[in-house]
Amino acid sequence: MHLALDFDGVFWDSVGECYVTARRAWRELVGVDPPECERAFRSGRWMVRVGADFGKLLSLAARDPQADLSGYPRSNWEALPFPQGPQFEQAFYRQREQARQHDPAGWAALQGPYEGFLRELPQLEARFGVPAIATTKDADSVRQLIAPLGLDLVVLGREFSTDKRKQIRHLAADWGVEPSAILLLDDLLDNLRPVQETGARVALAAWGYNTPEEREHARREGIPVLELGGVARALCG
């Protein structure tokens, strides 16, 4: 069995960096700063899957900066128009690249690893071998962030595909196994459900960007919900 890990929300807590980068992208496009709305933005992070969604979330959060979006209806989110999505996504990654290149220390300081997960990583590697990262984040950012930890992992990022089914199938080919021999650990149900079509095993990271309702949905669907501190015990047996 091989292990594939999502990055944001499993390996890395990056919501602070995403908020700052989204605000910079907004200013680039609109010319003014959006209202300060970090509280609402953080509470709605569970709805974001790809870069354009950060603009959609920032737009929603700016309407009511103190709102708790953890219970925002998924159907409303999917129906919420955000025609600026493609332009925002370009600006978002442009702003991240500028910060990453010109202020790497400041950029890195906006985020950090889940220390509890890092403590479990040696046990996971002993059971599964060296894991791969399967993420919708840009791969260069991931590599830059994990390098100081002494980690050099295979990273499939948004440049390859934001479809994790394609990522899993690619990893299976690289490892010379069927997708059923791979377990994907991700914090978003929207990523895990499609991956099940490949035959891969999946598990939900409860410490990431999901909600109690999402975790309950996972349990009802037979998807294991793992708690930080018990990941290796649950997966390694």
Side-chain angles (χ1 to χ4, degrees):
M1 184 65 65
H2 295 265
L3 184 62
L5 303 171
D6 179 42
F7 191 69
D8 298 296
V10 172
F11 213 109
W12 219 256
D13 184 4
S14 60
V15 66
E17 184 271 345
C18 292
Y19 175 68
V20 170
T21 303
R23 288 180 61 86
R24 290 171 177 168
W26 180 290
R27 182 175 182 81
E28 176 185 328
L29 291 178
V30 180
V32 296
D33 288 323
E36 177 59 50
C37 55
E38 185 170 1
R39 177 178 176 179
F41 185 93
R42 284 178 174 269
S43 71
R45 172 61 180 83
W46 66 279
M47 295 184 286
V48 172
R49 202 186 71 81
V50 294
D53 290 341
F54 286 114
K56 186 175 177 179
L57 175 58
L58 189 63
S59 176
L60 178 63
R63 299 177 189 179
D64 184 357
Q66 298 304 312
D68 180 1
L69 299 176
S70 61
Y72 193 76
R74 169 63 74 173
S75 58
N76 289 11
W77 168 258
E78 292 172 351
L80 191 66
F82 188 62
Q84 307 93 330
Q87 293 84 3
F88 182 90
E89 184 163 275
Q90 292 174 9
F92 181 86
Y93 287 110
R94 188 161 48 244
Q95 288 294 332
R96 173 176 285 167
E97 181 69 9
Q98 290 176 7
R100 189 171 70 83
Q101 295 292 341
H102 301 297
D103 184 19
W107 175 71
L110 295 170
Q111 55 199 308
Y114 290 100
E115 296 292 346
F117 185 74
L118 289 185
R119 287 192 290 271
E120 297 200 70
L121 193 56
Q123 290 176 265
L124 294 173
E125 290 184 339
R127 167 65 177 82
F128 296 99
V130 178
I133 300 293
T135 178
T136 59
K137 196 186 196 78
D138 50 298
D140 285 345
S141 289
V142 174
R143 294 189 185 100
Q144 185 168 330
L145 290 167
I146 66 175
L149 302 176
L151 298 173
D152 182 16
L153 307 178
V154 170
V155 180
L156 289 183
R158 64 182 291 267
E159 302 86 352
F160 176 80
S161 178
T162 58
D163 185 338
K164 296 207 174 183
R165 292 169 296 188
K166 292 181 179 179
Q167 293 180 340
I168 292 299
R169 290 186 178 112
H170 180 83
L171 289 173
D174 267 6
W175 281 326
V177 300
E178 293 297 319
S180 58
I182 299 176
L183 186 149
L184 173 65
L185 179 60
D186 201 301
D187 66 312
L188 299 182
L189 270 180
D190 279 356
N191 287 334
L192 294 179
R193 285 172 173 142
V195 164
Q196 289 181 303
E197 299 171 11
T198 70
R201 293 173 56 192
V202 300
L204 184 73
W207 62 92
Y209 307 125
N210 49 60
T211 66
E213 184 179 13
E214 292 279 286
R215 295 192 285 275
E216 183 57 32
H217 282 312
R219 294 186 183 98
R220 289 178 192 161
E221 295 170 27
I223 297 174
V225 178
L226 308 186
E227 300 287 345
L228 202 58
V231 178
R233 182 171 61 252
L235 297 183
C236 300

